Amino acid sequence: MSIIYRLITVLLFWSAATNASPFYPYAKRQIDNATSPTNGTSSPTNGTSGGSNNGSSSSTSSSVEIFVTSGNLPSNGSAKALFNTTGTLNITQLYKVSEAVNQSLQSSSGGGIVILADKSSFESLSFFLSIVLNTEKAVVITNDIEIGTTVAMDSNSTGRGVLYVGKSKVIFAGDLPPFGVPVGVVGDNLEAYWFYDEPQKSGMFSMNSTLRTTYSNFTNPTLNSEVAVPIVYEQGIASILSSSLGNSSSIGGLVIVSDKVVSNVTTQSTSSSSSTPTFPVIWVNPPGKISWLSEANIPGYAIAGGYLTPVQAQILLGVAVNNNVTSPESIRALFP
Ligand SMILES: *[C@@H]1O[C@H](CO)[C@@H](O)[C@H](O)[C@H]1NC(C)=O
Ligand SMILES: *[C@@H]1O[C@H](CO)[C@@H](O)[C@H](O)[C@H]1NC(C)=O
Ligand SMILES: *[C@@H]1O[C@H](CO)[C@@H](O)[C@H](O)[C@H]1NC(C)=O
Ligand SMILES: *[C@@H]1O[C@H](CO)[C@@H](O)[C@H](O)[C@H]1NC(C)=O
Ligand SMILES: *[C@@H]1O[C@H](CO)[C@@H](O)[C@H](O)[C@H]1NC(C)=O
Ligand SMILES: *[C@@H]1O[C@H](CO)[C@@H](O)[C@H](O)[C@H]1NC(C)=O
Ligand SMILES: *[C@@H]1O[C@H](CO)[C@@H](O)[C@H](O)[C@H]1NC(C)=O
Ligand SMILES: *[C@@H]1O[C@H](CO)[C@@H](O)[C@H](O)[C@H]1NC(C)=O
Ligand SMILES: *[C@@H]1O[C@H](CO)[C@@H](O)[C@H](O)[C@H]1NC(C)=O
Ligand SMILES: *[C@@H]1O[C@H](CO)[C@@H](O)[C@H](O)[C@H]1NC(C)=O
Ligand SMILES: *[C@@H]1O[C@H](CO)[C@@H](O)[C@H](O)[C@H]1NC(C)=O
Ligand SMILES: *[C@@H]1O[C@H](CO)[C@@H](O)[C@H](O)[C@H]1NC(C)=O
């Protein structure tokens, strides 16, 4: 049994990987090759459709705009301070960042964006901005302004989605498993080197993904209402769901972390089926593990989180709920 299961897991992972990761850089990405990268969305708020990138994805960015969410402003005063937090940014703060960055993307003619952030915010901020910003411009999150600026100004950084790079100089993409799949490095000569020639985004964020076509309003950079999407671990979830959370109107969604590869959810789902939650519930793998969670082993009402980490799933749900997209079917459709 476990061998077959492992085989299936591997197959699922690879089928996911072909859509969602850079292992096959060319097959699916022809549309991104610079002919019309700007026509992805028509955001209701004139959001972030990347309309300011005039197909000039190979021109060198002459300047970058710098935003600071953590730490000190660079002394030469070229940066905009948003806030000074050492911890992880919460959803309110994430939306504040997206409003500011979006404004800059709309107004500035060239150049990329550098966002100074604490390392603990890399995962959430980069995944959040991957959803909310639909742009070909370079958006680089970093805790080292020099390294981040290097990446943002590199002529090959455009079209790769939101990137983050720390003091280790390894460049990661915000739409992939966090710190899992490097897309490039910054050399000791302070130049960026890319592992893949073709810029690309994972399947969920590609130009004609459901997210970009049907749910283009997810690029609305403002927070409509306070949404709470807690993360809970699997233990005791049946009783939690059937009691407190099931009736709670303040919960916008729920992320359940399943640390067992195969869990006997049949019993759980039947015992709690009397109170199928009124909010979307997404099941994910524990953090720090690259794998794929499928529908096979979760209750019928739940959404399978694929490769998403708990924090990524929490952000995806938060954005969906913020846009009044709450039905499990709509959220399942976001997965490639
Ligand atoms: C775009 O793709 C087409 C074929 O898929 C290719 O002929 C063309 O050179 C590409 N353009 C760029 C700018 O890479
Ligand atoms: C964007 O797409 C719409 C519909 O597909 C099309 O009518 C319009 O001409 C496109 N605009 C540009 C600038 O390509
Ligand atoms: C959206 O952009 C168009 C053209 O740039 C402009 O005419 C319109 O007023 C904008 N709408 C909003 C809500 O900003
Ligand atoms: C976009 O590019 C076209 C042709 O390359 C140019 O004529 C036009 O002025 C550009 N628009 C902007 C806003 O840069
Ligand atoms: C940000 O916070 C850190 C430590 O909390 C502090 O040392 C620093 O001066 C603050 N920066 C600004 C611009 O307030
Ligand atoms: C987010 O953090 C800010 C600053 O710490 C706080 O004022 C705000 O209430 C928080 N929002 C939520 C939804 O937790
Ligand atoms: C501002 O300072 C940072 C680091 O101190 C430097 O990388 C950047 O080039 C400077 N910007 C300008 C406009 O001087
Ligand atoms: C970076 O861009 C230059 C031209 O702008 C190109 O010659 C080079 O091959 C690119 N390198 C990578 C790794 O994409
Ligand atoms: C995306 O668009 C391309 C070309 O328009 C098409 O070949 C491809 O099948 C589309 N992908 C999806 C997932 O719809
Ligand atoms: C799973 O649940 C079924 C009935 O709901 C039960 O018969 C079976 O023994 C359970 N399996 C395990 C491994 O607990
Ligand atoms: C966002 O778009 C989806 C799909 O079109 C729609 O169901 C939803 O109501 C929209 N949300 C808002 C707040 O308009
Ligand atoms: C989204 O839902 C909130 C709360 O239920 C409601 O106030 C708001 O009007 C809705 N927005 C749209 C566009 O449906």
Side-chain angles (χ1 to χ4, degrees), residues 41-73:
T41 58
S42 52
S43 162
T45 58
N46 270 357
T48 51
S49 62
S52 40
N53 177 10
N54 199 0
S56 60
S57 53
S58 63
S59 74
T60 303
S61 314
S62 53
S63 67
V64 296
E65 188 147 8
I66 299 170
F67 294 92
V68 180
T69 70
S70 175
N72 289 312
L73 283 172

Side-chain angles (χ1 to χ4, degrees), residues 155-156 160 194 197:
S155 61
N156 290 329
R160 294 181 187 268
W194 302 98
D197 290 345

Side-chain angles (χ1 to χ4, degrees), residues 159-182:
R160 294 181 187 268
V162 177
L163 303 168
Y164 54 97
V165 55
K167 295 185 195 300
S168 69
K169 299 184 181 173
V170 182
I171 307 168
F172 296 97
D175 56 3
L176 294 175
F179 300 101
V181 192

Side-chain angles (χ1 to χ4, degrees), residues 82-139:
L82 296 175
F83 20 72
N84 185 16
T85 163
T86 48
T88 312
L89 301 172
N90 65 33
I91 188 118
T92 316
Q93 294 169 316
L94 291 176
Y95 266 103
K96 287 228 167 74
V97 177
S98 77
E99 273 185 83
V101 171
N102 184 55
Q103 232 168 26
S104 163
L105 285 173
Q106 298 294 306
S107 56
S108 74
S109 46
I113 306 278
V114 173
I115 303 168
L116 272 178
D118 190 73
K119 195 180 176 199
S120 66
S121 291
F122 282 6
E123 175 184 3
S124 52
L125 185 56
S126 65
F127 190 74
F128 174 78
L129 292 180
S130 296
I131 299 173
V132 172
L133 303 178
N134 182 13
T135 180
E136 298 296 305
K137 284 189 188 176
V139 177

Side-chain angles (χ1 to χ4, degrees), residues 19-21 29 175 201-206 209-210 307 334 336:
N19 284 330
S21 87
R29 305 303 306 166
D175 56 3
K201 297 167 188 163
S202 82
M204 187 182 280
F205 300 96
S206 69
S209 62
T210 309
Y307 71 81
L334 294 170

